[in-house]
Amino acid sequence: MKRLIALCLMLSLGAGLAPAPAAHAQSQVLNLQDADIRVFIQDVAQATGQTFIIDPRVQGKVSISSREPLSRTELFEVMLSTLRANGLVAVPAGSGVYRITPEEGAAAQPSSLSGSGGYGFSTQVFRLRNIDAASAAETLKPLIGRQGVVMPSPRGNLIVVADYADNLARIRSLLAQVDQDRTLTETVTLRSSSAREIAGVVNQVLNSPGAEPGARNALVSLVVVESSNSLVLRGEPDAVRAMLALIADLDGRAETSGDVRVINLQHASAEQLLPVLQQLVGQSPATSEGDAATAAASASGSGQTTTAGGAGRRANIARYPGANAIVIAADPDTQRVLGEVIRQLDTRRRQVLVEAVVVELSDNAAQQLGVQFALAGVNGSSIPFSATNYSNAAPNILGLAAAAAGERNLPEDSSALAALRQTALDSVLGARGILTGGYGQSGDALFGFIINAVKNDTASNLLSTPSVMTLDNQEASILVGQEIPITTGEVLGDSNSNPFRTIQRQNVGIQLDVKPQINAGGAITLFLRQEVSSISGPLSESSGELILDKRAIETTVAVDDGAIVVLGGLLDRNERTTVERTPLLGDIPGLGNLFKATSRQNVQRNLMVFIRPTIIGSAADAQALTAPRYGYIRDLEAARSADGLSSLDALVRDYMQAAPITAPPPPPPPPVG
């Protein structure tokens, strides 16, 4: 076959043919039948001086016939067309060098970005100036060859295309026609209307039927410039001109629509917003409930000079509590300014769930040991009276001795005897621990003794978790406790014919007062006061006044969303030892224990207060926080009921006519690998 090709070439060069002119000295005539394509490529390389690197996968037969002589350039083009017809491609690999490979995967092969002078398979980069690269790539995909590739690059708004050189030239011409800016840009400054409101109207007009109300249209782009109350429109010239006429008509109608405007608030409180708006226009705050009629009348009557509109024009603002609405009586320009202020302030406020944890652990250990005795003479004996009495020992031996003496010497109906009996009884009843004693008489000596010993250990664990949810920048409080009476004054006595006692009730329990402020970075500033109080007991056995234990913290802290921080606490340890003894006798080793009383007390208390705020920005966040707490109470109630069922779900379903709250499903596990 190789010799057949060579023979054809020799014949075309003059062996049997008339000599060709000088300009066609290199022309050749091809006439091949089922020639091996690899041999054909080699012969073309010899005839054209080009270098071809043939992929091992290149196989097949070709048949080519030409009636006219072909130049080197024409012969090379015929070879490229033959390769394409057989699913092969010549990829430029350098100056005069080509790789002959199958079309499949040719776009991924390294090649020159500038192409091959119009031949073969090459890659080019197109920079777009007016249209988007991604949308342009979608448009070009049907025009690319079977094995060609088109890829957009959004960063530089570029398109990379790998295809045959002749198709690249066609794509270049097509992009030159498409990549042109035919849009029109116009700026409109509104005089009587709000730019944001007009932009919403224009978007709704241009949107197709059934589109979302807030969706952007595909014909005209609108940008709101709030600083100058202007609109920037960009799009097809006909659509932009039509919208310009519509905007001018709407702005003109707003100028002649009247001087009173009613704005119904969606989230904000009209009562809180009214003083702010009145301050903007220089209007004195109303001393009573504002109404719409007064505001409308003020538009034509006397009023305060406005600072929001032009000089000399008046503005009055009132609220209508029944509809949570603001009524503005002012010129259109002032109405527009105030309407924009209301729009920015009338937004849904986020909420904060504040949870506090108060933990108090205390241990109180006490020991007492005391010996008391009394000695006295009777029947005119010269034995002196002597006794030991200690404040940290009970009962009081002197009280018992006085009551015994009163029984012998005082009449039964004596008030002094009744008082002595009551004192002795209270002393005995106040004794704790083990108590032993006795009395007797030896001759003219009367004696008695009391020995008491007590050990007391008290451990307490106080754990409370108050929580409250409130709006951002809104104060809130929660109190769980009691109101107890506290005596603040009294007048008693025989000389007063109108005795009385004044009582003040005081809250005792767990109280949390908080005001959260959400910062821009997600942190929360908390202004809070946490108090835990309880009744410790009476002031004394003979007094009804109460002792209150109180733990309170008032502070301002900054906490990240969902973080737990400690507000404060107390670690307290108090040890007290009291020894009361009789001089000299109490110092005698061993025997001295009979003449002294010892008391030891050890008090240890650990108190900590923690806080955790959580921002709730949506209804889904509120449900996610409510569900686990609802489930906790429901499960706790079910565990305490006899049948193991909770009536909370039935109450919510039957009384509130709502579905019981359920926890959201857990997120799916992350993919493996």
Side-chain angles (χ1 to χ4, degrees):
M1 182 60 63
K2 183 177 180 181
R3 295 183 178 277
L4 177 61
I5 297 175
L7 178 61
C8 293
L9 294 175
M10 291 174 62
L11 291 175
S12 66
L13 291 176
L17 294 176
H24 301 282
Q26 301 298 327
S27 300
Q28 303 176 12
V29 177
L30 291 178
N31 189 7
L32 305 177
Q33 296 294 329
D34 294 331
D36 186 273
I37 192 171
R38 300 176 67 90
V39 176
F40 171 63
I41 295 174
Q42 293 175 3
D43 291 341
V44 173
Q46 292 180 356
T48 60
Q50 304 287 349
T51 300
F52 299 104
I53 303 173
I54 304 175
D55 191 277
R57 296 173 294 173
V58 176
Q59 302 292 336
K61 304 289 185 177
V62 296
S63 297
I64 306 173
S65 177
S66 66
R67 295 184 178 182
E68 300 293 334
L70 303 176
S71 65
R72 291 183 177 181
T73 302
E74 294 172 340
L75 179 61
F76 183 72
E77 292 178 353
V78 168
M79 186 200 72
L80 294 179
S81 300
T82 302
L83 293 177
R84 181 182 295 189
N86 288 270
L88 303 174
V89 62
V91 181
S95 178
V97 180
Y98 297 87
R99 290 194 312 275
I100 310 299
T101 64
E103 282 185 338
E104 183 178 359
Q109 299 292 328
S111 63
S112 172
L113 292 179
S114 60
S116 56
Y119 307 118
F121 201 92
S122 60
T123 303
Q124 288 195 11
V125 179
F126 300 94
R127 183 183 297 276
L128 305 179
R129 301 186 181 278
N130 300 296
I131 60 176
D132 181 62
S135 60
E138 293 295 328
T139 304
L140 294 177
K141 280 184 179 180
L143 306 178
I144 302 298
R146 182 178 58 185
Q147 299 299 330
V149 176
V150 55
M151 294 182 300
S153 176
R155 174 167 301 209
N157 203 33
L158 306 175
I159 293 182
V160 181
V161 182
D163 203 355
Y164 289 101
D166 55 350
N167 200 27
L168 288 177
R170 182 166 62 96
I171 292 174
R172 184 184 304 107
S173 176
L174 177 63
L175 287 177
Q177 300 178 35
V178 175
D179 188 23
Q180 296 182 7
D181 187 10
R182 297 184 178 90
T183 60
L184 177 65
T185 302
E186 292 286 346
T187 302
V188 182
T189 300
L190 304 178
R191 298 183 180 275
S192 304
S193 304
S194 169
R196 186 174 298 275
E197 180 182 358
I198 296 297
V201 173
V202 172
N203 271 324
Q204 293 183 18
V205 171
L206 294 176
N207 276 337
S208 57
E212 293 292 334
R216 299 183 65 88
N217 69 87
L219 298 177
V220 179
S221 298
L222 291 95
V223 179
V224 178
V225 184
E226 296 183 358
S227 60
S228 60
N229 195 41
S230 302
L231 283 175
V232 179
L233 294 83
R234 185 174 184 271
E236 293 296 328
D238 293 340
V240 171
R241 294 188 185 98
M243 292 303 104
L244 288 176
L246 175 62
I247 293 172
D249 181 58
L250 293 176
D251 194 33
R253 292 174 182 271
E255 186 176 2
T256 59
S257 61
D259 292 337
V260 178
R261 180 182 180 187
V262 178
I263 302 178
N264 292 302
L265 303 180
Q266 303 297 323
H267 305 284
S269 171
E271 183 179 3
Q272 296 178 355
L273 191 58
L274 179 63
V276 178
L277 301 177
Q278 289 177 336
Q279 186 176 3
L280 288 177
V281 299
Q283 177 184 344
S284 300
T287 57
S288 60
E289 296 291 337
D291 61 334
T294 304
S298 301
S300 57
S302 61
Q304 301 294 330
T305 302
T306 177
T307 58
R313 288 180 284 184
R314 300 179 176 90
N316 282 273
I317 308 171
R319 72 181 182 94
Y320 179 58
N324 192 35
I326 293 291
V327 183
I328 302 176
D331 59 89
D333 191 30
T334 303
Q335 290 185 18
R336 179 190 60 78
V337 174
L338 297 179
E340 182 62 22
V341 173
I342 294 174
R343 184 195 66 80
Q344 297 185 37
L345 295 179
D346 187 23
T347 58
R348 176 172 177 173
R349 294 161 63 182
R350 289 180 289 179
Q351 302 180 90
V352 180
L353 174 64
V354 181
E355 300 170 289
V357 177
V358 182
V359 183
E360 182 176 357
L361 308 175
S362 62
D363 292 313
N364 189 346
Q367 292 181 350
Q368 293 180 0
L369 176 62
V371 179
Q372 302 177 73
F373 72 89
L375 177 65
V378 294
N379 300 324
S381 174
S382 61
I383 300 175
F385 172 79
S386 61
T388 59
N389 183 31
Y390 307 111
S391 61
N392 58 357
N396 191 324
I397 194 172
L398 294 182
L400 299 180
E407 291 289 342
R408 292 187 178 186
N409 302 309
L410 296 176
E412 185 66 26
D413 58 351
S414 173
S415 60
L417 177 60
L420 291 175
R421 288 175 177 175
Q422 186 63 40
T423 302
L425 180 61
D426 293 340
S427 179
V428 174
L429 294 178
R432 295 174 298 172
I434 185 171
L435 177 67
T436 182
Y439 72 96
Q441 183 174 356
S442 176
D444 294 335
L446 183 66
F447 63 89
F449 68 94
I450 297 176
I451 301 175
N452 70 303
V454 63
K455 182 176 182 181
N456 182 25
D457 291 321
T458 303
S460 64
N461 182 4
L462 173 63
L463 178 63
S464 59
T465 57
S467 62
V468 63
M469 183 183 295
T470 181
L471 290 173
D472 181 27
N473 274 311
Q474 187 72 37
E475 294 183 0
S477 64
I478 181 175
L479 171 63
V480 180
Q482 298 175 317
E483 283 189 348
I484 62 171
I486 303 294
T487 301
T488 57
E490 62 180 353
V491 175
L492 301 174
D494 297 336
S495 60
N496 194 320
S497 59
N498 185 22
F500 66 90
R501 175 181 296 175
T502 58
I503 296 177
Q504 179 181 358
R505 295 192 175 273
Q506 182 173 336
N507 295 329
V508 175
I510 301 171
Q511 184 171 357
L512 174 63
D513 301 328
V514 64
K515 179 181 178 182
Q517 176 181 302
I518 302 177
N519 302 328
I524 306 170
T525 301
L526 296 175
F527 309 90
L528 58 87
R529 184 179 187 274
Q530 170 71 62
E531 178 180 316
V532 178
S533 56
S534 60
I535 301 175
S536 177
L539 183 63
S540 64
E541 297 177 357
S542 60
S543 174
E545 300 297 333
L546 299 177
I547 298 177
L548 302 182
D549 291 336
K550 180 180 293 188
R551 281 79 66 188
I553 293 179
E554 186 172 354
T555 183
T556 302
V557 294
V559 191
D560 291 334
D561 179 24
I564 301 177
V565 297
V566 59
L567 291 182
L570 172 67
L571 301 179
D572 181 28
R573 185 171 184 178
N574 185 9
E575 295 184 4
R576 176 180 297 178
T577 301
T578 304
V579 179
E580 296 185 14
R581 70 186 72 186
T582 302
L584 300 178
L585 296 178
D587 296 330
I588 300 174
L591 186 61
N593 293 327
L594 300 177
F595 299 94
K596 65 182 178 182
T598 304
S599 172
R600 293 185 178 89
Q601 186 176 14
N602 186 355
V603 179
Q604 184 173 352
R605 179 172 53 186
N606 299 325
L607 172 65
M608 286 292 168
V609 180
F610 304 91
I611 200 77
R612 179 177 184 260
T614 303
I615 298 176
I616 302 175
S618 62
D621 295 341
Q623 290 298 308
L625 284 173
T626 304
R629 290 158 177 81
Y630 180 91
Y632 173 79
I633 295 298
R634 178 181 53 198
D635 297 341
L636 192 62
E637 184 190 12
R640 294 185 176 183
S641 63
D643 54 1
L645 299 177
S646 172
S647 60
L648 181 58
D649 286 346
L651 182 64
V652 171
R653 183 173 50 252
D654 300 336
Y655 179 73
M656 294 185 175
Q657 300 296 317
I661 301 175
T662 57
V672 180

